Amino acid sequence: MPPLDLDKIAAELESLEETIIARLIDRAQFRRNATAYTPGQSGFAGESVLSLFALRLKFQEEMDACFGRFMVPEERPFNRDLPSPKRTVTLEDDCLKLTDFNRVNLSAGILESYLDLVPQICRPGDDAQYGSSVEHDVYALQAISRRIHYGAMYVAESKYRSDPDAVRAAVASGDARVLVRLIVRPEVERRILLRVAEKAAGLQASAKANIRHTIRPEIIRDYYARHIIPLTKEGEILYLQNRGPSNRHVD
Amino acid sequence: MPPLDLDKIAAELESLEETIIARLIDRAQFRRNATAYTPGQSGFAGESVLSLFALRLKFQEEMDACFGRFMVPEERPFNRDLPSPKRTVTLEDDCLKLTDFNRVNLSAGILESYLDLVPQICRPGDDAQYGSSVEHDVYALQAISRRIHYGAMYVAESKYRSDPDAVRAAVASGDARVLVRLIVRPEVERRILLRVAEKAAGLQASAKANIRHTIRPEIIRDYYARHIIPLTKEGEILYLQNRGPSNRHVD
């Protein structure tokens, strides 16, 4: 993503909105299917602990890890102890100053907020489509996670570069509120929320209600307001607090 | 999917249109990236034959097989020799009369048509985003495959039931053209093509051209006209030619 250009960062974040909304709509075609989230109810032989959802997320991330997904800064995993990449990945210099990308890992908060969202976007009940439900859960989660981590890391680095002294002083003060005041941009947040609600309506305009279950645009807008934007800011603070003086070496 | 209700089948097929279009748009955010499709260029240690794309499709289907995906009639795999499901899947009676779902497997034709489509929807060149490109390829392929196999099997079974004698006579004639004449519905096809073009335009209406690469709606409409609809009809014929007198037993 070099050079670190705020317009390009904003464009990438904006482009991820369609993907997130489309993934949520895909999930909403199935019922809540609470069984798929119940520990020990996966139906997998010999698996007495994890839910089908947790198993799917684990299998997916193990596969993705083989393909090198988590070499990319904004792709932060939900699981630990994943296999090493099986392929050589050539990455551009990402311009970030982090010795360990997982210093900025908001996955736990993302997961919790997403599981709260599912009953809001899906019709209640059980349609036995557990496999499809958790498949779409994982794709939605990955899109949300990419947006949050991308925003956190790159926006924070670009804010640092625009005024290094102010950011360093705010970090040194040890008061997170000082840092928050420095990075908050209420006008940008308002614009994002308006745009997300508009897109959520637009992307569902062609869907016939008796054929495709739709999600009220306010639900997605509120999810951005209550979770995606706050988690991104939390990540920005983590980034700035953990920003190192020198670049990590890419092996 | 019982009871076998043509309106419900049509609704399901229509609902899959948004998913296919969204997946294609996701893929189109990346360049063509020919290297990702070149045999032996996967970058995987010890892998000298498969392309990164072929590897991703294989890994994905191996995972999906563990979760029981291919127990579902319309989920036909692109690979062979996949692992057995690790979970118990309870399926509704699908009302289909096939002893082996893979008698109706159009995967080879789907794969070929999709690989021809990629250069039409993606900008030329290479952005090194091979992992993301093939990830989205696989999701797009799975959505297209589901649509074709679902249409082929359920539409054919419902046509059989609407006039079993005519279908049996056409099959017995040994002339595929007689069967084709029986199942073709030009008016329905025209409606699908119009709708797909409208949806492809609508789903991209909110995307800003400098932020999100868009696909000309005609490209997706033509892909439906030249591949999705003909492959579905080919599958209907295969279904009717292989339709068994009795139901397969679900283990």
Side-chain angles (χ1 to χ4, degrees):
Chain A
M1 233 291 308
L4 207 65
D5 171 339
L6 248 187
D7 285 345
K8 282 194 182 169
I9 298 169
E12 177 67 22
L13 292 176
E14 195 172 328
S15 169
L16 285 170
E17 290 162 5
E18 272 91 353
T19 305
I20 291 173
I21 296 167
R23 295 284 183 276
L24 294 176
I25 298 169
D26 280 342
R27 172 62 185 92
Q29 301 316 304
F30 304 94
R31 299 273 171 175
R32 287 183 195 172
N33 293 328
T35 305
Y37 307 89
T38 310
Q41 296 292 305
S42 69
F44 264 61
E47 175 57 61
S48 59
V49 177
L50 297 180
S51 67
L52 187 68
F53 163 76
L55 269 180
R56 178 80 191 189
L57 188 55
K58 187 164 169 278
F59 274 60
Q60 175 79 39
E61 292 202 323
E62 285 171 353
M63 176 178 70
D64 286 339
C66 293
F67 281 79
R69 182 190 201 101
F70 306 116
M71 307 280 281
V72 176
E74 66 269 24
E75 301 286 5
R76 291 302 90 221
F78 291 87
N79 289 284
R80 288 160 190 272
D81 302 322
L82 293 166
S84 301
K86 288 190 181 180
R87 61 186 271 253
T88 336
V89 182
T90 313
L91 296 168
E92 290 182 294
D93 175 19
D94 51 52
C95 307
L96 299 175
K97 307 283 184 188
L98 270 181
T99 46
D100 176 2
F101 296 144
N102 278 324
R103 293 288 184 101
V104 183
N105 186 330
L106 286 307
S107 300
I110 295 169
L111 186 58
E112 195 189 342
S113 74
Y114 179 78
L115 293 174
D116 284 345
L117 179 64
V118 171
Q120 299 174 56
I121 61 172
C122 297
R123 287 160 295 174
D126 191 305
D127 56 23
Q129 304 282 310
Y130 305 153
S132 298
S133 300
V134 301
E135 179 189 331
H136 291 297
D137 282 329
V138 169
Y139 301 151
L141 268 174
Q142 289 188 326
I144 294 165
S145 171
R146 191 178 316 128
R147 193 280 178 206
I148 290 173
H149 290 109
Y150 189 95
M153 294 175 177
Y154 288 101
V155 173
E157 178 63 23
S158 89
K159 283 179 183 167
Y160 177 90
R161 293 195 188 187
S162 71
D163 194 349
D165 292 340
V167 171
R168 273 198 294 260
V171 171
S173 78
D175 185 346
R177 289 169 303 179
V178 178
L179 205 45
V180 169
R181 275 199 297 275
L182 203 64
I183 60 174
V184 149
R185 294 178 298 174
E187 187 39 44
V188 173
E189 291 180 17
R190 262 194 298 274
R191 220 162 46 224
I192 292 173
L193 295 179
L194 272 173
R195 191 174 63 212
V196 164
E198 273 170 22
K199 284 186 185 177
L203 290 172
Q204 299 181 102
S206 70
K208 290 185 203 134
N210 61 333
I211 284 176
R212 204 162 157 88
H213 177 61
T214 53
I215 304 174
R216 283 192 298 114
E218 311 88 78
I219 294 177
I220 300 180
R221 181 199 61 201
D222 291 353
Y223 183 68
Y224 257 81
R226 288 181 200 148
H227 300 288
I228 292 184
I229 291 176
L231 283 164
T232 305
K233 282 192 283 198
E234 199 180 319
E236 287 184 61
I237 292 167
L238 281 172
Y239 179 88
L240 295 172
Q241 288 172 338
N242 286 283
R243 189 178 184 281
S246 71
N247 221 338
R248 156 194 37 80
H249 290 286
V250 180
D251 299 317
Chain B
M1 234 291 311
L4 207 63
D5 172 338
L6 247 188
D7 285 344
K8 281 194 185 173
I9 298 169
E12 177 67 21
L13 291 176
E14 195 172 328
S15 170
L16 285 170
E17 291 162 3
E18 272 90 352
T19 304
I20 291 173
I21 296 168
R23 295 284 183 276
L24 294 177
I25 298 169
D26 280 341
R27 172 61 185 92
Q29 301 316 303
F30 304 95
R31 300 275 170 170
R32 289 182 194 171
N33 292 328
T35 305
Y37 307 89
T38 310
Q41 297 291 306
S42 69
F44 264 61
E47 175 57 59
S48 59
V49 177
L50 297 180
S51 66
L52 187 69
F53 164 76
L55 270 180
R56 178 79 190 189
L57 188 56
K58 186 165 172 276
F59 273 60
Q60 175 79 39
E61 292 201 323
E62 285 171 354
M63 175 177 71
D64 286 339
C66 292
F67 281 78
R69 181 190 202 101
F70 306 115
M71 308 279 283
V72 176
E74 67 268 25
E75 302 286 6
R76 291 303 90 221
F78 292 87
N79 289 283
R80 289 161 190 271
D81 302 322
L82 293 167
S84 301
K86 289 190 179 179
R87 60 185 272 252
T88 338
V89 182
T90 313
L91 296 169
E92 291 180 294
D93 175 18
D94 51 53
C95 307
L96 299 175
K97 307 282 184 192
L98 270 181
T99 47
D100 176 1
F101 296 143
N102 278 325
R103 291 291 184 100
V104 184
N105 187 332
L106 287 305
S107 299
I110 295 170
L111 185 58
E112 194 189 342
S113 74
Y114 178 79
L115 292 175
D116 283 344
L117 179 65
V118 171
Q120 298 175 54
I121 62 172
C122 298
R123 286 160 296 173
D126 191 307
D127 56 21
Q129 305 282 308
Y130 305 152
S132 297
S133 301
V134 301
E135 180 189 330
H136 292 297
D137 282 328
V138 170
Y139 301 151
L141 268 174
Q142 290 188 324
I144 293 164
S145 170
R146 190 179 316 128
R147 192 279 177 207
I148 290 172
H149 290 109
Y150 188 96
M153 295 175 176
Y154 288 101
V155 173
E157 178 62 23
S158 90
K159 283 177 183 167
Y160 178 91
R161 293 195 187 188
S162 71
D163 194 350
D165 292 340
V167 171
R168 272 197 296 259
V171 171
S173 77
D175 186 344
R177 287 169 304 180
V178 178
L179 205 45
V180 169
R181 275 199 295 276
L182 203 65
I183 61 174
V184 148
R185 294 177 299 172
E187 188 40 45
V188 173
E189 292 180 16
R190 262 194 298 273
R191 221 165 42 226
I192 292 174
L193 295 180
L194 271 174
R195 192 175 62 214
V196 164
E198 272 170 22
K199 283 186 187 179
L203 290 172
Q204 298 181 104
S206 72
K208 291 182 202 136
N210 60 332
I211 285 176
R212 206 163 156 85
H213 177 62
T214 54
I215 304 174
R216 282 191 299 115
E218 311 88 78
I219 294 177
I220 301 180
R221 181 200 62 203
D222 291 352
Y223 183 68
Y224 257 82
R226 289 181 199 148
H227 300 287
I228 293 184
I229 292 175
L231 283 165
T232 304
K233 281 191 284 200
E234 197 181 321
E236 285 184 61
I237 292 166
L238 281 172
Y239 179 88
L240 293 172
Q241 288 172 337
N242 287 283
R243 190 178 183 280
S246 70
N247 222 335
R248 155 194 37 81
H249 289 286
V250 180
D251 299 318

